Amino acid sequence: QVSVLYFARSAELAGLRCETLSVPREITSLQLWEEIVKAHPRLAVIRDQVIFAVRQEYVLLGDQLLVLQPGDEVAIIPPISGG
């Protein structure tokens, strides 16, 4: 189980700021995104704009293998706009 933190637009789309999800211990970042979208289909619209932070390190969606530990934090960080 990992803690998923939602920020900005991802929190609006998911309808919450954090939750705990059960995911495989070894998973690619793209597979992790797909698991999160299964739980919150509205997040699919930001797929090409989102970045993860896993244990406070940025991870792009793709083939990168993540080895998650119970209680790890995964932050969903959509693009930040502003001036």
Side-chain angles (χ1 to χ4, degrees):
Q1 289 192 331
V2 295
S3 296
V4 183
L5 309 176
Y6 299 93
F7 293 95
R9 179 116 169 94
S10 68
E12 293 170 22
L13 292 169
L16 50 99
R17 297 218 172 268
C18 64
E19 69 180 330
T20 301
L21 288 180
S22 292
V23 296
R25 186 169 182 263
E26 291 189 10
I27 190 168
T28 68
S29 56
L30 184 56
Q31 289 169 330
L32 179 58
W33 172 249
E34 290 167 353
E35 289 292 319
I36 292 168
V37 169
K38 276 187 209 172
H40 304 287
R42 293 177 58 201
L43 289 172
V45 299
I46 60 170
R47 188 251 182 256
D48 292 332
Q49 306 160 341
V50 77
I51 297 174
F52 281 155
V54 178
R55 293 184 297 272
Q56 300 182 356
E57 291 187 25
Y58 289 118
V59 176
L60 297 175
L61 297 186
D63 296 336
Q64 180 176 350
L65 184 64
L66 305 174
V67 179
L68 300 172
Q69 303 298 324
D72 276 353
E73 282 188 351
V74 177
I76 310 298
I77 304 171
I80 307 296
S81 62

